[in-house]
C-alpha cells in the first residue's frame, strides 16, 4: 500500500500501546478487538479479533429430522435468522430433489428483499453512522467537523441538508432526524418482511418445499403500499451517504487507507430466478448464474469464478487459532460431489466440530470462530475472502458479472444501475454504483445504502411477478416430497452481511452432518493454520490513525469504523475505548518496520 | 375446543413485599451474552407499543427515569465505559437495577481447566474472559428485579436441546425456581423465540410501573410467565381454529385451513401471537401460514420435533372431532347457501312484494281495513 510506504519514510521511534475493545457494543454476538497501536507513527501495528461464544449447532443438529434444520438454524442469528432458514431450505431442496412452485421462490425473494432493506437501514443509520455523526466527529476530529460546517452538501437538493455538518447532526443518536426516521423505517420494513415470512427474526412460514404464506392479492398490496412509502428515505440515504463519504476523502487525505485490504471478495449470490433454478447440484452452475445477485469470487479486481460448483468445492475450514480439535482422522462423509469431483477433507461436508474450551492465548488459540478460507486452484492460496460487509462484494460481483438484466436493476460489467420509481416527494431516479478503486472502510459503508436501493428496486420486480402468478391463478406455494434415506445438499445465499452456505448430509433419513457458514466466520476469523489473519485483523492491522486524540483520551474511532464497516453481525455503534491505554513497550522503528514490511 | 392452561398465580402477593414508595430512577442492566442469537434485543427494537425509545426518553407517564444499558442500544461510549455500570452493580455500588438476561445459561462446571463457553468483558486483574455465569452470580443477588427475555433465558430453548455440548439451561434452572429478587419478585419470564416485541415491552413497562410504586407486581403463572399474555393457547386466538372445529384440516402448506395435521401445536401452546400478530398486528404463525412449533414453551424444542409432522395426540383428537365437525360443516353449508341468496322480493316486476302495504294502495289490505273502520 503506497500510503504505508510513504509513512515509513518519515518513521519516528515507535510508541506502542496495547488497546482493546471487548465487548464491542451494538453487535449480535460477542466480539473483542485487541490491538497494538503505534502512536508515534499513528498506525495500528497488530490486531487480533476474538469471539467468546460457543453454542454448537453443528453438534446438536446431528441425528435430528433434516426438515427441522431451517427452524433450528434460524436461531443461529438474531438479526438475519431468515437468511439461515432460506439457505437451509435451499440445501434441503437439493437433498430432497424438490423444486418449490415459482410463486414460493418469489415470496421468499420478497421476504429477503425486505430483510436487506430493514437490516442495512438499522445498521447503517442507527449504528454505523454514529461513528460519523456530529457528536462523534466533534470528540475525535474537531477540525474535520469545523470543515464540515463550511462544506456545502452536493446532494442537498435530494436530501434537504445544506452542509455536511447538517447531515452529521441528523445522525446524532436518539436526537437526530435521520436516526429517528431510520428506526421507524426499520419497523415498517420489518412489517413488509412479516407479510412474506410471518415473523421477524425467526420466520414462521418458510418450509423446505415452499412457503405457507397465503398468496392473496392483499398480501402483496400490503407489502407494496409500505414499499412505496419508504422509497423517499432510500433515495435520500444514498445521497446523504455519498456526500459524507466523499467529504471524508477530501477532508482527510489518505483516508482511503483506513480499513483497506487486498481486493478479496466473495459473494454466494441471492434471489433465485424461479424460471431457471431447479435446486439440483448437477445444474447449479447454470441456475447460480441466473440469480438476481450474481455469485462470484473477486481477486484483485478480477472475477475468478461465478460458478457455484467451483465456489462450493473451494471452501476450506481451517482451525489455526480457534478452540477446536481437528477432524482429519475421521471418516469423510462425502468423498465426491454429485458431478464426480473430489471433496476435500477440510470441506464443510466433511467437517466434524470438536469443541475444546481453553484459556485465551493471543499467541496460541484465542477464538471460538474457525477460519473458513477459499482455496484458489490457480494460485494454490487459501484466500481469506471477506464479504465487504455484504453489499460491497454483492455489488462488485454483480457488476463484474454483467448478468443481471431486469427493468429495475442492470449490471453493466463495471457498474450496477438501479432504477427506483417516483415516490412521495422525489421523482423517478436511476442510481449508479460504480466499482470503486479500493476495498476499504468507506467503500464498504457506501455500498450499503446502494444495496438498500437495489433490494427495493428488485422488490418491485418480484411484486410484479408475484401478482402475475396470483392473477393467473397460479397460487400454489408448496410442493410435497419424501425425505430420502441418504442424500447430500448445499445451499448458497447471502446473509445481510455476506456469504452464507449450509452443507447437509443425510443418512437413514436423519442429519448425519450439518455445517452452516455465515459471513462472520469469514470476516471475523482469527489467524488460520497458515498464519493468515482474518479480514477484520488484516484490515485493521497497518491502518493509519486519523483521530486527533492522543493515547490518554483515545477513542479508536478509525478502528471501530473499520471493524463496523464489515457489519460484524449486527448494528454496531458507539463502542469506544475510554480511559488510558497500557503502555507496553517502546520499540525502535527499524524492528517494527522490518516486521511489518 | 379449549385446553386448560393450568395456570396459577404465584406473585400477586409475593413473599415479603412490604408497602413502599417507588423509585424515581432505575437502571436496566441487559446482558445478552448468554447462549443467544441476540434476537430478543432485535425483536424488542421492533416494538412500537411502547417503543423502547419512548420508555428511555420518558414519554410513558408514571415510569421512573430509565437508564438502559444494552449492548445494542446504549448511548454510552462503550468499552470500559460500557462495562462500568455492570462492574459497579457487581460491587454493590449501583442500585436499584433490573437485570435482564438474554440467552440460555451454559454449564461452566462441565469444563475442565480455564476454558469458557461465553464471556462478557474481562477480569481487570488477569485479563481473562469473565464468564456469563460469573456475572449472574454477582448481579442476580443484588438485582431489584430479574427478567428473562426469550425462551433461551426462560427455559433453555434451542441451545439447551438434546445433544447440546454446553449443558445449557434457563435462568430459573440456574438460580432456582424459588429465587426472589431484592424487590421480592420471582424471575419474570417472557418466553418466545424470539420474544414477541410488544409482549416484552408491555411486561417490562409493568415491572417499571411496579418499580415506580404505581402498580402491583405483574401476575405470573407457575412457569413465571405473565398470565395475561400466556394464559390462553395459540388455538384459542387462531383465526384458523374454526376449521378445526369443523374437522376441516389442511393436508399441506398450500391450504388456508387448520394446520394441525401438518405439524401445528397451537392447541396446546401458551402464546398470544395469532391474536396479537407479530408486530403492529402484522404477521404471526398459524394465522398466516406458519405451523406453531411451540417456541414459547418450556418443552421447546425437543417436545415439538419433528416440527413438520402431526403432533402426538393430533390423530386422536382430530378423529374425535371428525363426526361432529362433518355434521356441523354440512349443516352450516346448507345455511350458508340459504344466506347467500337474495330475498325474492327484489325484482323489477309491476308489483311490490316486499311486504310493505300502505293505506293509499288501492288493492291493499291496509286501505280496505281503513275503509271498513270509517
Amino acid at each position: 500500500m503506497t500510503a504505508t510506504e510513504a509513512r515509513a519514510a518519515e518513521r519516528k521511534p515507535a510508541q506502542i500501546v496495547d488497546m482493546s475493545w471487548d465487548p464491542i457494543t451494538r453487535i449480535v454476538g460477542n466480539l473483542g478487538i485487541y490491538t497494538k497501536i503505534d502512536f508515534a507513527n499513528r498506525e495500528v501495528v497488530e490486531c487480533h479479533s476474538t469471539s467468546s461464544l460457543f453454542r454448537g449447532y453443528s453438534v446438536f443438529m446431528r441425528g435430528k429430522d433434516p426438515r427441522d434444520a431451517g427452524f433450528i438454524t434460524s436461531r443461529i442469528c438474531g438479526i438475519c435468522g431468515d437468511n439461515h432458514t432460506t439457505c437451509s431450505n435451499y440445501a434441503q431442496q437439493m437433498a430432497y430433489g424438490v423444486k418449490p412452485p415459482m410463486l414460493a421462490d418469489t415470496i421468499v425473494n420478497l421476504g429477503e428483499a425486505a430483510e436487506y432493506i430493514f437490516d442495512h437501514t438499522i445498521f447503517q443509520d442507527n449504528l454505523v453512522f454514529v461513528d460519523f455523526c456530529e457528536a462523534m466527529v466533534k470528540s475525535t476530529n474537531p477540525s474535520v467537523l469545523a470543515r464540515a460546517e463550511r462544506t456545502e452538501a452536493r446532494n442537498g437538493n435530494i436530501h434537504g441538508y445544506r452542509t455536511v455538518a447538517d447531515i452529521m447532526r441528523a445522525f446524532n443518536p436518539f436526537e437526530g432526524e435521520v436516526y429517528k426516521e431510520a428506526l421507524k423505517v426499520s419497523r415498517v420494513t420489518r412489517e413488509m418482511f412479516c407479510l412474506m415470512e410471518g415473523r421477524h427474526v425467526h420466520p414462521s412460514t418458510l418450509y423446505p418445499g415452499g412457503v405457507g404464506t397465503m398468496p392473496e392479492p392483499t398480501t402483496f398490496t400490503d407489502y407494496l403500499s409500505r414499499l412505496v412509502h419508504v422509497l423517499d428515505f432510500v433515495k435520500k440515504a444514498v445521497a446523504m451517504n455519498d456526500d459524507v463519504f466523499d467529504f471524508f476523502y477530501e477532508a482527510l487525505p489518505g483516508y482511503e487507507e483506513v480499513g483497506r485490504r487486498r481486493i478479496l471478495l466473495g459473494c454466494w449470490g441471492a434471489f433465485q430466478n424461479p424460471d431457471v433454478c431447479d435446486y439440483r447440484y448437477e445444474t447449479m452452475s447454470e441456475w447460480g448464474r441466473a440469480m438476481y445477485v450474481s455469485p462470484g469470487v473477486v481477486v484483485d479486481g478480477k472475477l475468478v469464478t461465478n460458478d457455484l460448483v467451483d465456489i462450493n468445492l473451494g471452501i476450506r475450514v481451517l482451525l489455526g487459532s480457534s478452540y477446536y480439535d481437528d477432524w482429519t482422522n475421521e471418516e469423510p462423509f462425502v468423498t465426491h460431489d454429485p458431478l464426480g469431483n473430489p471433496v476435500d477433507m477440510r470441506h464443510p461436508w466433511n467437517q466434524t466440530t470438536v469443541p475444546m474450551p481453553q484459556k485465551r492465548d493471543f499467541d496460541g488459540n484465542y477464538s471460538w470462530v474457525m477460519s473458513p478460507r477459499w482455496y484458489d486452484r490457480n494460485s494454490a492460496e487459501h484466500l481469506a475472502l471477506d464479504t465487504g460487509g455484504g453489499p460491497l462484494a454483492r455489488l462488485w460481483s454483480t457488476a463484474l458479472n454483467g448478468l443481471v438484466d431486469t427493468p429495475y436493476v442492470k449490471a453493466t460489467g463495471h457498474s450496477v444501475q438501479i432504477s427506483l420509481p417516483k415516490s412521495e416527494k422525489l421523482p423517478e431516479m436511476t442510481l449508479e454504483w460504480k466499482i470503486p478503486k479500493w476495498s476499504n472502510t468507506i467503500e464498504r459503508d457506501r455500498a450499503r445504502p446502494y444495496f438498500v436501493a437495489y433490494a427495493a428496486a428488485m422488490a418491485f420486480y418480484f411484486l410484479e411477478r408475484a401478482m402475475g402468478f396470483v392473477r393467473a391463478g397460479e397460487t400454489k406455494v408448496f410442493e410435497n416430497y419424501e425425505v430420502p434415506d441418504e442424500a447430500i445438499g448445499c445451499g448458497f445465499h447471502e446473509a445481510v452481511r455476506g456469504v452464507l452456505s449450509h452443507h447437509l448430509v443425510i443418512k437413514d433419513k436423519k442429519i448425519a452432518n450439518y455445517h452452516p457458514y455465515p459471513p462472520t466466520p469469514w470476516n471475523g476469523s482469527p489467524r488460520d493454520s497458515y498464519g493468515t489473519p482474518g479480514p477484520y485483523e488484516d484490515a485493521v492491522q497497518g491502518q493509519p490513525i486519523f483521530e486527533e486524540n492522543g493515547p490518554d483520551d483515545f477513542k479508536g474511532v478509525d478502528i471501530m469504523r473499520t471493524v463496523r464497516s464489515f457489519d460484524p453481525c449486527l448494528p454496531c455503534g458507539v463502542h469506544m475505548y475510554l480511559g488510558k491505554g497500557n503502555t507496553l513497550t517502546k520499540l525502535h522503528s527499524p524492528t517494527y518496520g522490518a516486521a511489518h514490511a | 375446543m379449549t385446553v386448560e392452561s393450568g395456570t396459577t398465580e404465584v406473585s400477586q402477593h409475593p413473599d415479603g413485599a412490604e408497602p413502599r414508595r417507588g423509585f424515581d430512577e432505575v437502571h436496566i442492566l441487559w446482558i445478552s451474552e448468554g447462549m443467544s442469537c441476540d434476537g430478543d434485543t432485535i425483536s424488542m427494537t421492533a416494538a412500537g407499543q411502547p417503543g423502547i425509545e419512548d420508555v428511555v426518553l420518558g414519554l410513558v407517564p408514571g415510569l421512573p427515569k430509565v437508564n438502559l444499558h444494552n449492548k445494542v442500544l446504549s448511548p454510552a461510549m462503550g468499552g470500559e465505559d460500557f462495562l462500568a455500570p455492570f462492574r459497579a452493580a457487581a460491587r454493590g455500588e449501583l442500585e436499584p437495577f433490573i437485570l435482564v438476561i438474554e440467552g440460555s445459561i451454559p454449564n461452566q462446571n462441565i469444563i475442565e481447566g480455564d476454558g469458557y463457553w461465553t464471556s462478557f468483558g474481562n477480569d481487570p486483574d488477569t485479563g481473562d474472559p469473565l464468564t456469563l455465569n460469573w456475572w449472574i452470580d454477582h448481579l442476580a443477588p443484588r438485582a431489584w428485579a430479574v427478567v428473562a427475555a426469550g425462551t433461551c433465558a426462560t427455559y433453555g430453548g434451542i441451545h439447551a436441546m438434546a445433544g447440546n455440548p454446553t449443558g445449557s439451561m434457563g435462568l430459573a434452572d440456574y438460580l432456582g425456581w424459588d429465587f426472589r429478587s431484592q424487590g421480592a419478585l420471582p424471575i419474570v419470564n417472557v418466553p418466545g423465540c424470539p420474544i414477541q416485541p410488544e409482549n416484552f415491552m408491555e411486561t417490562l413497562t409493568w415491572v417499571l410501573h411496579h418499580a415506580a410504586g404505581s402498580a402491583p407486581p405483574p401476575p405470573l403463572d407457575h412457569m413465571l410467565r405473565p398470565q395475561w399474555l400466556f394464559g390462553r393457547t395459540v388455538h384459542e386466538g387462531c383465526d384458523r381454529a374454526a376449521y378445526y372445529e369443523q374437522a376441516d384440516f389442511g393436508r399441506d402448506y398450500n391450504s388456508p385451513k387448520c394446520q394441525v395435521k401438518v405439524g401445528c401445536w397451537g392447541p396446546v401452546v401458551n402464546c398470544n401471537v395469532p391474536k396479537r400478530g407479530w408486530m403492529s398486528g402484522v404477521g404471526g404463525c398459524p394465522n398466516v401460514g406458519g405451523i406453531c412449533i411451540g417456541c414459547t414453551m418450556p418443552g421447546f424444542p425437543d417436545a415439538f420435533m419433528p416440527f413438520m409432522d402431526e403432533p402426538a395426540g393430533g390423530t386422536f383428537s382430530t378423529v374425535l372431532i371428525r363426526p361432529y365437525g362433518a355434521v356441523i360443516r354440512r349443516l352450516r353449508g346448507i345455511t350458508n347457501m340459504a344466506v347467500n341468496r337474495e330475498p325474492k322480493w327484489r325484482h323489477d316486476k309491476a308489483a311490490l312484494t316486499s311486504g310493505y302495504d300502505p293505506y293509499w294502495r288501492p288493492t291493499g289490505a291496509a286501505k280496505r281495513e281503513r275503509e271498513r273502520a270509517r
Side-chain angles (χ1 to χ4, degrees):
Chain A
M1 293 192 287
T2 49
T4 308
E5 283 157 20
R7 285 197 306 277
E10 42 186 290
R11 202 160 271 291
K12 297 174 192 154
Q15 181 206 345
I16 294 182
V17 183
D18 217 9
M19 288 200 167
S20 62
W21 294 262
D22 190 353
I24 301 277
T25 47
R26 301 188 179 189
I27 69 161
V28 166
N30 316 15
L31 173 68
I33 295 289
Y34 291 75
T35 65
K36 290 182 179 19
I37 298 172
D38 177 354
F39 277 95
N41 294 294
R42 305 202 69 76
E43 71 180 37
V44 183
V45 181
E46 193 180 280
C47 174
H48 288 88
S49 82
T50 168
S51 169
S52 62
L53 173 68
F54 175 77
R55 298 168 303 177
Y57 278 79
S58 45
V59 178
F60 57 67
M61 299 270 289
R62 281 195 172 190
K64 305 282 154 61
D65 188 314
R67 293 171 301 159
D68 289 348
F71 297 94
I72 299 171
T73 56
S74 172
R75 274 73 187 180
I76 289 173
C77 182
I79 185 154
C80 65
D82 60 294
N83 301 141
H84 282 280
T85 314
T86 302
C87 193
S88 177
N89 291 347
Y90 290 171
Q92 290 179 62
Q93 280 150 200
M94 181 180 288
Y96 309 156
V98 59
K99 176 181 165 57
M102 303 227 276
L103 178 56
D105 276 334
T106 308
I107 286 174
V108 171
N109 285 348
L110 281 165
E112 297 302 275
E115 168 69 18
Y116 292 132
I117 304 172
F118 144 70
D119 192 333
H120 285 318
T121 297
I122 196 170
F123 180 69
Q124 183 86 343
D125 297 321
N126 295 116
L127 301 148
V128 161
F129 250 110
V130 176
D131 289 341
F132 293 90
C133 77
E134 183 217 24
M136 181 63 64
V137 178
K138 188 191 254 170
S139 69
T140 55
N141 295 76
S143 67
V144 171
L145 182 63
R147 184 175 169 147
E149 297 282 7
R150 300 189 304 268
T151 306
E152 198 167 322
R154 280 183 204 128
N155 290 314
N157 60 323
I158 299 171
H159 53 63
Y161 294 100
R162 195 178 61 80
T163 67
V164 172
D166 288 339
I167 303 176
M168 291 174 168
R169 260 185 287 281
F171 280 111
N172 280 341
F174 289 98
E175 290 159 7
E177 218 175 13
V178 172
Y179 185 95
K180 284 191 278 197
E181 200 182 344
L183 269 181
K184 284 185 198 146
V185 168
S186 87
R187 288 183 188 137
V188 174
T189 45
R190 269 182 279 191
E191 288 169 26
M192 287 161 60
F193 178 88
C194 289
L195 288 163
M196 294 299 139
E197 302 194 13
R199 315 187 312 159
H200 191 276
V201 176
H202 304 312
S204 57
T205 61
L206 298 192
Y207 303 102
V211 299
T213 315
M214 283 299 106
E216 279 152 5
T218 316
T219 311
F220 303 102
T221 307
D222 287 356
Y223 185 103
L224 173 67
S225 55
R226 285 168 173 80
L227 176 61
V228 296
H229 288 291
V230 300
L231 273 194
D232 271 348
F233 182 86
V234 170
K235 292 170 182 170
K236 285 183 197 171
V238 171
M240 276 187 281
N241 278 255
D242 271 342
D243 281 354
V244 170
F245 295 134
D246 291 345
F247 167 78
F248 260 78
Y249 282 143
E250 287 160 24
L252 294 168
Y255 212 82
E256 67 275 6
E257 293 303 322
V258 170
R260 181 180 166 195
R261 73 186 295 256
R262 191 181 159 197
I263 299 164
L264 292 171
L265 296 168
C267 166
W268 295 173
F271 299 141
Q272 301 291 5
N273 182 338
D275 297 327
V276 184
C277 179
D278 61 5
Y279 295 97
R280 290 169 61 232
Y281 190 89
E282 290 80 354
T283 52
M284 184 161 72
S285 310
E286 189 191 335
W287 54 256
R289 289 188 187 101
M291 288 167 128
Y292 292 111
V293 168
S294 308
V297 173
V298 181
V299 175
D300 300 327
K302 300 254 169 13
L303 185 66
V304 172
T305 182
N306 61 5
D307 185 333
L308 282 182
V309 173
D310 277 353
I311 286 173
N312 176 43
L313 293 171
I315 298 175
R316 299 282 182 277
V317 181
L318 308 181
L319 290 177
S321 310
S322 40
Y323 305 143
Y324 299 90
D325 261 7
D326 210 344
W327 59 84
T328 38
N329 294 328
E330 308 272 333
E331 277 290 300
F333 289 93
V334 181
T335 56
H336 291 82
D337 74 358
L339 289 165
N341 301 304
V343 175
D344 195 87
M345 196 60 200
R346 304 218 70 84
H347 188 273
W349 263 329
N350 287 327
Q351 183 184 336
T352 300
T353 300
V354 190
M356 289 295 289
Q358 54 196 277
K359 195 177 168 71
R360 187 175 64 205
D361 174 8
F362 287 113
D363 296 322
N365 298 338
Y366 59 88
S367 182
W368 274 117
V369 176
M370 294 187 192
S371 301
R373 298 289 185 256
W374 192 75
Y375 180 70
D376 183 358
R377 280 180 298 181
N378 303 323
S379 63
E381 281 180 296
H382 288 81
L383 300 175
L385 297 183
D386 71 71
T387 73
L392 186 68
R394 282 203 280 278
L395 289 168
W396 209 308
S397 174
T398 301
L400 280 180
N401 268 291
L403 293 169
V404 174
D405 186 4
T406 70
Y408 295 93
V409 174
K410 278 187 176 48
T412 65
H414 56 86
S415 72
V416 176
Q417 292 167 347
I418 304 156
S419 298
L420 293 173
K422 180 178 183 300
S423 47
E424 281 168 279
K425 296 203 178 86
L426 293 168
E428 185 186 356
M429 264 185 203
T430 296
L431 309 166
E432 186 165 26
W433 179 89
K434 296 182 184 128
I435 292 176
K437 279 187 255 179
W438 311 285
S439 172
N440 66 5
T441 296
I442 281 195
E443 297 308 330
R444 277 177 218 115
D445 285 341
R446 187 203 301 271
R448 206 166 285 118
Y450 277 92
F451 196 78
V452 169
Y454 189 118
M458 287 309 300
F460 281 101
Y461 179 66
F462 300 140
L463 269 176
E464 286 167 12
R465 290 220 64 183
M467 288 302 282
F469 291 127
V470 171
R471 288 169 181 155
E474 294 169 35
T475 54
K476 198 173 175 197
V477 288
F478 177 79
E479 192 65 59
N480 236 324
Y481 49 84
E482 282 288 318
V483 176
D485 286 339
E486 299 210 348
I488 59 172
C490 56
F492 292 94
H493 187 38
E494 284 283 300
V496 179
R497 39 209 54 78
V499 298
L500 176 62
S501 58
H502 281 215
H503 284 84
L504 160 72
V505 180
I506 298 172
K507 282 190 177 151
D508 302 327
K509 295 187 191 288
K510 301 279 185 222
I511 294 173
N513 206 15
Y514 200 106
H515 280 91
Y517 272 94
T520 298
W522 288 90
N523 294 330
S525 54
R527 282 150 175 77
D528 65 27
S529 39
Y530 298 98
T532 310
Y536 295 169
E537 298 179 334
D538 182 43
V540 169
Q541 205 156 279
Q543 84 162 39
I545 297 294
F546 284 86
E547 183 178 334
E548 292 165 28
N549 299 317
D552 290 347
D553 50 359
F554 187 64
K555 302 187 190 312
V557 71
D558 303 302
I559 295 168
M560 290 299 108
R561 280 179 190 146
T562 294
V563 172
R564 234 162 258 142
S565 70
F566 286 97
D567 194 346
C569 226
L570 154 70
C572 182
V574 248
H575 184 142
M576 295 291 179
Y577 182 88
L578 263 195
K580 304 186 179 180
N582 169 31
T583 301
L584 259 193
T585 40
K586 295 194 174 176
L587 303 172
H588 292 295
S589 56
T591 315
Y592 158 66
H596 191 62
Chain B
M1 187 173 171
T2 60
V3 171
E4 274 303 320
S5 54
T7 56
T8 47
E9 295 182 19
V10 296
S11 68
Q12 272 303 17
H13 306 285
D15 302 339
E18 300 294 323
R20 57 168 182 78
R21 287 171 47 222
F23 305 117
D24 297 330
E25 186 166 353
V26 68
H27 293 266
I28 295 177
L29 299 181
W30 184 313
I31 299 184
S32 62
E33 270 75 1
M35 298 299 176
S36 92
C37 64
D38 288 28
D40 302 302
T41 286
I42 298 304
S43 207
M44 177 266 286
T45 67
Q49 301 165 194
I52 185 71
E53 68 269 33
D54 299 342
V55 171
V56 170
L57 296 173
L59 303 186
V60 180
L63 298 189
K65 177 174 166 26
V66 171
N67 302 300
L68 176 70
H69 307 281
N70 167 287
K71 191 171 63 178
V72 176
L73 292 175
S74 169
M77 291 297 276
E80 279 308 308
D81 183 35
F82 173 70
L83 285 172
F86 294 88
R87 295 208 196 272
R91 289 191 303 265
E93 293 164 11
L94 182 89
E95 58 183 13
F97 68 90
I98 297 170
L99 177 65
V100 181
I101 295 290
E102 175 175 359
S104 25
I105 318 304
N107 187 348
Q108 280 293 127
N109 296 327
I110 59 176
I111 298 177
E112 290 172 19
D114 298 324
Y116 57 94
W117 296 121
T118 179
S119 73
F120 179 55
N122 297 323
D123 184 319
D125 297 327
T126 65
D128 289 333
L130 273 179
T131 63
L132 169 77
N133 308 62
W134 184 94
W135 284 102
I136 294 175
D137 294 346
H138 287 77
L139 292 177
R142 300 182 192 278
W144 178 79
V146 176
V147 177
T151 300
C152 282
T154 55
Y155 310 126
I158 283 278
H159 308 108
M161 74 193 279
N164 81 80
T166 57
S168 287
M169 65 198 96
L171 191 59
D173 303 322
Y174 185 78
L175 289 175
W177 283 84
D178 54 356
F179 172 88
R180 290 293 180 276
S181 65
Q182 287 296 315
L185 288 165
I187 298 169
V188 178
N189 278 339
V190 187
C193 187
I195 46 168
Q196 197 272 5
E198 290 133 12
N199 279 354
F200 181 82
M201 283 308 298
E202 192 172 84
T203 306
L204 183 68
T205 308
W206 189 323
V207 172
L208 287 167
H209 271 121
H210 179 48
S214 59
L220 307 179
D221 70 12
H222 69 298
M223 295 308 286
L224 308 180
R225 300 169 279 209
Q227 284 185 340
W228 77 98
L229 298 172
F230 297 94
R232 281 181 286 273
T233 64
V234 163
H235 194 59
E236 285 156 4
C238 182
D239 58 13
R240 296 181 182 219
Y243 287 103
Y244 187 108
E245 185 212 12
Q246 295 176 168
D248 200 0
F249 300 105
R251 295 286 158 179
D252 68 25
Y253 307 100
N254 288 299
S255 172
K257 298 175 180 174
C258 174
Q259 301 187 118
V260 161
K261 297 203 92 58
V262 292
C264 185
W265 285 82
V268 293
V269 167
N270 297 75
C271 180
N272 63 345
V273 161
K275 191 82 179 163
R276 192 167 204 174
W278 190 253
M279 55 182 294
S280 308
V282 174
C285 304
N287 55 321
V288 296
I291 50 175
C292 171
I293 62 170
C295 79
T296 54
M297 298 299 279
F300 179 76
D302 307 79
F304 304 95
M305 292 165 70
F307 298 123
M308 289 171 70
D309 285 344
E310 185 174 6
T315 315
F316 182 64
S317 57
T318 54
V319 164
L320 275 187
I321 194 88
R322 192 158 291 149
Y324 166 82
V327 172
I328 288 293
R329 184 153 35 113
R330 175 73 54 84
L331 293 175
R332 285 176 181 167
I334 293 166
T335 313
N336 177 256
M337 274 168 63
V339 295
N340 262 313
R341 264 187 228 118
E342 283 193 276
K344 59 185 184 309
W345 58 81
R346 293 177 195 160
H347 56 74
D348 66 350
K349 292 177 190 144
L352 179 69
T353 54
S354 73
Y356 180 58
D357 189 15
Y359 70 92
W360 48 259
R361 202 171 164 202
T363 55
K367 172 125 181 165
R368 286 197 301 276
E369 192 71 21
R370 209 180 164 90
E371 279 165 0
R372 201 177 306 129
R374 197 171 287 161

